[in-house]
Amino acid sequence: MQTTWLISGSSSGIGKALIEQLLERGDRVVATLRKPEVLDELKARYPEQLWLAQLDVTDTPAIRRVIKQAFTELGRIDVVVSSAGYALFGAAEEVSDEQIDQQLQTNLVGSIQVIRACLPFLREQGGGRVLQVSSEGGQLAYPNFSLYHTSKWAIEGFVESVAQEVAPFGIEFTLVEPGPTRTNFGAALVSPPPMAVYDQTPAGDVRRAVASGRFALTGDPVKMAKAMLEVAAVSPAPKRLLLGTGAYERVHGVLTERLAALEQQQEVAHSTEID
């Protein structure tokens, strides 16, 4: 059975791999991206299946216009994948106000507005699935990625809440959390001028590791896309889909530590209740 997908931020990496797999199996895809011409070759191969639209997710009126047009022209969209984003790389003191605004407008507000624009249509058609691309960085944190982590932790909170709001309408959500993946993510890092005072700090250590290529990009975007394709058919939808061996180990570790720390505070927590 043919399904229809809407994918934002799909010019490369996992998003593009997902589009290719969907088209190969015969599904229809709405792909929104800032430069739709990068998918012209796919459009030529699948003219009846691929619907392209230019969209910058920092432009909320454009989000609403494009998504309304997509649902109107295609009739039904079964799965929405919100994946537009990038990483701001620098210590919190180094980044500029403008860079902070751009990071949050793209990764957080843009993702929120894509979901909000789709909800009325998904509700009216009787349900659907939303895959929000987050990151292992939505559950843990590295130095020099503070604003990126802010956007990912925040979108996870938004999805956790809105999923409960719209569950009665048959709309289900999954947060997709990839670990380091062989995409152009590293090349797309936005970095402010470094401050020498951070050279001998954890922020400086991470900066040198990234510059030297010591960050192991072991995730396969094709395999990750396949896992996303498969999870969209699972019901009830899992809240999260963690992708990558290292990501699993790191997230498992921080959650175990967090639970242990919480349990140590049990007595204090109980002691603050009204007598």
Side-chain angles (χ1 to χ4, degrees):
M1 177 179 176
Q2 185 186 59
T3 58
T4 302
W5 295 57
L6 186 152
I7 304 174
S8 69
S10 51
S11 61
S12 62
I14 299 171
K16 185 178 180 182
L18 181 59
I19 291 173
E20 291 171 342
Q21 292 180 35
L22 291 169
L23 294 174
E24 287 172 4
R25 79 172 192 178
D27 286 351
R28 296 190 303 175
V29 179
V30 175
T32 72
L33 54 168
R34 287 185 300 162
K35 298 178 180 179
E37 61 272 15
V38 302
L39 297 183
D40 279 351
E41 181 181 346
L42 281 177
K43 178 64 175 177
R45 289 166 53 194
Y46 302 97
E48 302 301 320
Q49 293 172 241
L50 182 58
W51 192 93
L52 295 177
Q54 192 280 331
L55 181 63
D56 183 334
V57 296
T58 65
D59 185 343
T60 298
I63 290 173
R64 293 172 179 157
R65 182 177 65 254
V66 169
I67 287 177
K68 180 180 180 180
Q69 182 181 0
F71 274 92
T72 299
E73 292 189 11
L74 298 178
R76 178 184 178 88
I77 293 174
D78 303 286
V79 185
V80 175
V81 181
S82 172
S83 64
Y86 72 98
L88 177 57
F89 178 71
E93 190 180 358
E94 294 172 339
V95 300
S96 69
D97 294 343
E98 293 75 17
Q99 287 172 328
I100 292 172
D101 289 344
Q102 185 67 22
Q103 177 74 104
L104 298 182
Q105 286 294 321
T106 302
N107 288 21
L108 177 57
V109 178
S111 296
I112 289 171
Q113 295 294 17
V114 166
I115 291 170
R116 277 169 35 86
C118 290
L119 287 180
F121 299 99
L122 295 174
R123 178 168 44 77
E124 290 170 8
Q125 71 184 22
R129 182 67 57 89
V130 180
L131 306 183
Q132 172 61 53
V133 177
S134 177
S135 164
E136 68 165 321
Q139 298 207 60
L140 50 76
Y142 298 107
N144 262 29
F145 286 95
S146 57
L147 275 303
Y148 174 75
H149 288 303
T150 297
S151 70
K152 294 304 183 181
W153 284 61
I155 196 60
E156 294 221 358
F158 173 79
V159 168
E160 285 261 4
S161 178
V162 74
Q164 298 173 64
E165 296 169 359
V166 300
F169 306 120
I171 304 171
E172 297 182 277
F173 283 78
T174 295
L175 285 156
V176 181
E177 299 173 332
T181 310
R182 290 186 182 179
T183 67
N184 65 350
F185 179 82
L189 292 176
V190 174
S191 301
M195 297 171 61
V197 70
Y198 283 101
D199 285 349
Q200 302 307 313
T201 70
D205 294 340
V206 171
R207 183 185 300 136
R208 285 186 291 275
V210 170
S212 66
R214 294 201 307 272
F215 262 51
L217 305 179
T218 58
D220 184 331
V222 174
K223 292 180 180 179
M224 290 183 173
K226 183 175 184 292
M228 291 172 63
L229 187 154
E230 291 173 349
V231 82
V234 176
S235 187
K239 285 186 176 182
R240 285 174 171 80
L241 176 66
L242 194 62
L243 301 173
T245 301
Y248 176 85
E249 293 172 350
R250 287 184 290 271
V251 171
H252 189 281
V254 298
L255 292 180
T256 300
E257 292 175 4
R258 199 172 300 155
L259 180 58
L262 174 65
E263 290 172 344
Q264 290 179 359
Q265 296 179 358
Q266 182 178 14
E267 184 177 343
V268 174
H270 290 336
S271 72
T272 58
E273 293 294 300
I274 297 172
D275 292 331

